[in-house]
PDB file of all heavy atoms in Angstrom:
ATOM      1  N   GLY A 352     -57.726  83.003  16.151  1.00  0.00           N
ATOM      2  CA  GLY A 352     -58.091  83.806  17.301  1.00  0.00           C
ATOM      3  C   GLY A 352     -57.087  83.752  18.431  1.00  0.00           C
ATOM      4  O   GLY A 352     -55.908  83.458  18.234  1.00  0.00           O
ATOM      5  N   MET A 353     -57.551  84.055  19.635  1.00  0.00           N
ATOM      6  CA  MET A 353     -56.708  84.093  20.831  1.00  0.00           C
ATOM      7  C   MET A 353     -56.606  82.682  21.407  1.00  0.00           C
ATOM      8  O   MET A 353     -57.634  82.055  21.707  1.00  0.00           O
ATOM      9  CB  MET A 353     -57.306  85.046  21.855  1.00  0.00           C
ATOM     10  CG  MET A 353     -57.697  86.406  21.307  1.00  0.00           C
ATOM     11  SD  MET A 353     -56.296  87.492  21.010  1.00  0.00           S
ATOM     12  CE  MET A 353     -56.011  88.085  22.664  1.00  0.00           C
ATOM     13  N   ILE A 354     -55.374  82.206  21.591  1.00  0.00           N
ATOM     14  CA  ILE A 354     -55.164  80.835  22.031  1.00  0.00           C
ATOM     15  C   ILE A 354     -54.350  80.822  23.323  1.00  0.00           C
ATOM     16  O   ILE A 354     -53.310  81.472  23.428  1.00  0.00           O
ATOM     17  CB  ILE A 354     -54.420  80.012  20.954  1.00  0.00           C
ATOM     18  CG1 ILE A 354     -55.141  80.122  19.610  1.00  0.00           C
ATOM     19  CG2 ILE A 354     -54.297  78.554  21.388  1.00  0.00           C
ATOM     20  CD1 ILE A 354     -56.548  79.586  19.610  1.00  0.00           C
ATOM     21  N   ASP A 355     -54.830  80.070  24.311  1.00  0.00           N
ATOM     22  CA  ASP A 355     -54.102  79.877  25.560  1.00  0.00           C
ATOM     23  C   ASP A 355     -53.128  78.710  25.415  1.00  0.00           C
ATOM     24  O   ASP A 355     -53.296  77.847  24.546  1.00  0.00           O
ATOM     25  CB  ASP A 355     -55.076  79.566  26.701  1.00  0.00           C
ATOM     26  CG  ASP A 355     -55.932  80.768  27.071  1.00  0.00           C
ATOM     27  OD1 ASP A 355     -55.373  81.877  27.122  1.00  0.00           O
ATOM     28  OD2 ASP A 355     -57.142  80.589  27.301  1.00  0.00           O
ATOM     29  N   PRO A 356     -52.096  78.655  26.270  1.00  0.00           N
ATOM     30  CA  PRO A 356     -51.143  77.524  26.201  1.00  0.00           C
ATOM     31  C   PRO A 356     -51.861  76.190  26.395  1.00  0.00           C
ATOM     32  O   PRO A 356     -52.808  76.070  27.180  1.00  0.00           O
ATOM     33  CB  PRO A 356     -50.177  77.819  27.355  1.00  0.00           C
ATOM     34  CG  PRO A 356     -50.290  79.291  27.588  1.00  0.00           C
ATOM     35  CD  PRO A 356     -51.715  79.642  27.298  1.00  0.00           C
ATOM     36  N   SER A 357     -51.380  75.161  25.673  1.00  0.00           N
ATOM     37  CA  SER A 357     -51.945  73.820  25.801  1.00  0.00           C
ATOM     38  C   SER A 357     -51.488  73.164  27.091  1.00  0.00           C
ATOM     39  O   SER A 357     -52.247  72.440  27.735  1.00  0.00           O
ATOM     40  CB  SER A 357     -51.539  72.961  24.596  1.00  0.00           C
ATOM     41  OG  SER A 357     -51.938  73.556  23.385  1.00  0.00           O
ATOM     42  N   TRP A 358     -50.218  73.386  27.456  1.00  0.00           N
ATOM     43  CA  TRP A 358     -49.692  72.879  28.719  1.00  0.00           C
ATOM     44  C   TRP A 358     -48.420  73.637  29.048  1.00  0.00           C
ATOM     45  O   TRP A 358     -47.931  74.421  28.233  1.00  0.00           O
ATOM     46  CB  TRP A 358     -49.432  71.370  28.662  1.00  0.00           C
ATOM     47  CG  TRP A 358     -48.454  70.911  27.612  1.00  0.00           C
ATOM     48  CD1 TRP A 358     -48.679  70.807  26.272  1.00  0.00           C
ATOM     49  CD2 TRP A 358     -47.113  70.476  27.831  1.00  0.00           C
ATOM     50  NE1 TRP A 358     -47.551  70.353  25.624  1.00  0.00           N
ATOM     51  CE2 TRP A 358     -46.565  70.123  26.561  1.00  0.00           C
ATOM     52  CE3 TRP A 358     -46.310  70.345  28.961  1.00  0.00           C
ATOM     53  CZ2 TRP A 358     -45.269  69.654  26.405  1.00  0.00           C
ATOM     54  CZ3 TRP A 358     -45.015  69.865  28.797  1.00  0.00           C
ATOM     55  CH2 TRP A 358     -44.508  69.529  27.527  1.00  0.00           C
ATOM     56  N   GLU A 359     -47.919  73.444  30.245  1.00  0.00           N
ATOM     57  CA  GLU A 359     -46.732  74.164  30.693  1.00  0.00           C
ATOM     58  C   GLU A 359     -46.026  73.367  31.777  1.00  0.00           C
ATOM     59  O   GLU A 359     -46.592  72.424  32.348  1.00  0.00           O
ATOM     60  CB  GLU A 359     -47.123  75.548  31.219  1.00  0.00           C
ATOM     61  CG  GLU A 359     -48.035  75.512  32.433  1.00  0.00           C
ATOM     62  CD  GLU A 359     -48.492  76.885  32.880  1.00  0.00           C
ATOM     63  OE1 GLU A 359     -48.842  77.716  32.009  1.00  0.00           O
ATOM     64  OE2 GLU A 359     -48.485  77.120  34.105  1.00  0.00           O
ATOM     65  N   PHE A 360     -44.795  73.737  32.050  1.00  0.00           N
ATOM     66  CA  PHE A 360     -44.067  73.141  33.168  1.00  0.00           C
ATOM     67  C   PHE A 360     -43.058  74.148  33.701  1.00  0.00           C
ATOM     68  O   PHE A 360     -42.573  75.013  32.961  1.00  0.00           O
ATOM     69  CB  PHE A 360     -43.365  71.837  32.753  1.00  0.00           C
ATOM     70  CG  PHE A 360     -42.196  72.030  31.823  1.00  0.00           C
ATOM     71  CD1 PHE A 360     -40.893  72.125  32.305  1.00  0.00           C
ATOM     72  CD2 PHE A 360     -42.395  72.105  30.450  1.00  0.00           C
ATOM     73  CE1 PHE A 360     -39.824  72.290  31.450  1.00  0.00           C
ATOM     74  CE2 PHE A 360     -41.321  72.285  29.583  1.00  0.00           C
ATOM     75  CZ  PHE A 360     -40.030  72.370  30.087  1.00  0.00           C
ATOM     76  N   ARG A 361     -42.777  74.056  34.983  1.00  0.00           N
ATOM     77  CA  ARG A 361     -41.805  74.949  35.612  1.00  0.00           C
ATOM     78  C   ARG A 361     -40.411  74.381  35.393  1.00  0.00           C
ATOM     79  O   ARG A 361     -40.106  73.266  35.807  1.00  0.00           O
ATOM     80  CB  ARG A 361     -42.083  75.118  37.096  1.00  0.00           C
ATOM     81  CG  ARG A 361     -41.039  75.992  37.809  1.00  0.00           C
ATOM     82  CD  ARG A 361     -41.505  76.418  39.173  1.00  0.00           C
ATOM     83  NE  ARG A 361     -42.640  77.325  39.098  1.00  0.00           N
ATOM     84  CZ  ARG A 361     -42.537  78.625  38.815  1.00  0.00           C
ATOM     85  NH1 ARG A 361     -41.341  79.167  38.564  1.00  0.00           N
ATOM     86  NH2 ARG A 361     -43.607  79.390  38.764  1.00  0.00           N
ATOM     87  N   ALA A 362     -39.549  75.178  34.754  1.00  0.00           N
ATOM     88  CA  ALA A 362     -38.191  74.739  34.463  1.00  0.00           C
ATOM     89  C   ALA A 362     -37.187  75.301  35.456  1.00  0.00           C
ATOM     90  O   ALA A 362     -36.146  74.700  35.698  1.00  0.00           O
ATOM     91  CB  ALA A 362     -37.798  75.140  33.045  1.00  0.00           C
ATOM     92  N   HIS A 363     -37.514  76.475  36.035  1.00  0.00           N
ATOM     93  CA  HIS A 363     -36.542  77.125  36.916  1.00  0.00           C
ATOM     94  C   HIS A 363     -37.232  78.246  37.680  1.00  0.00           C
ATOM     95  O   HIS A 363     -38.381  78.586  37.380  1.00  0.00           O
ATOM     96  CB  HIS A 363     -35.378  77.682  36.085  1.00  0.00           C
ATOM     97  CG  HIS A 363     -34.091  77.779  36.832  1.00  0.00           C
ATOM     98  ND1 HIS A 363     -33.710  78.912  37.501  1.00  0.00           N
ATOM     99  CD2 HIS A 363     -33.086  76.894  36.999  1.00  0.00           C
ATOM    100  CE1 HIS A 363     -32.520  78.717  38.048  1.00  0.00           C
ATOM    101  NE2 HIS A 363     -32.127  77.507  37.769  1.00  0.00           N
ATOM    102  N   LYS A 364     -36.527  78.819  38.625  1.00  0.00           N
ATOM    103  CA  LYS A 364     -37.060  79.962  39.360  1.00  0.00           C
ATOM    104  C   LYS A 364     -36.665  81.289  38.728  1.00  0.00           C
ATOM    105  O   LYS A 364     -37.117  82.341  39.169  1.00  0.00           O
ATOM    106  CB  LYS A 364     -36.566  79.921  40.812  1.00  0.00           C
ATOM    107  CG  LYS A 364     -37.051  78.718  41.602  1.00  0.00           C
ATOM    108  CD  LYS A 364     -36.510  78.730  43.012  1.00  0.00           C
ATOM    109  CE  LYS A 364     -36.988  77.526  43.800  1.00  0.00           C
ATOM    110  NZ  LYS A 364     -36.452  77.516  45.196  1.00  0.00           N
TER     111      LYS A 364
END
Side-chain angles (χ1 to χ4, degrees):
M353 311 284 279
I354 307 298
D355 291 318
S357 303
W358 59 284
E359 63 184 43
F360 70 94
R361 177 166 293 281
H363 207 268
K364 296 179 180 180

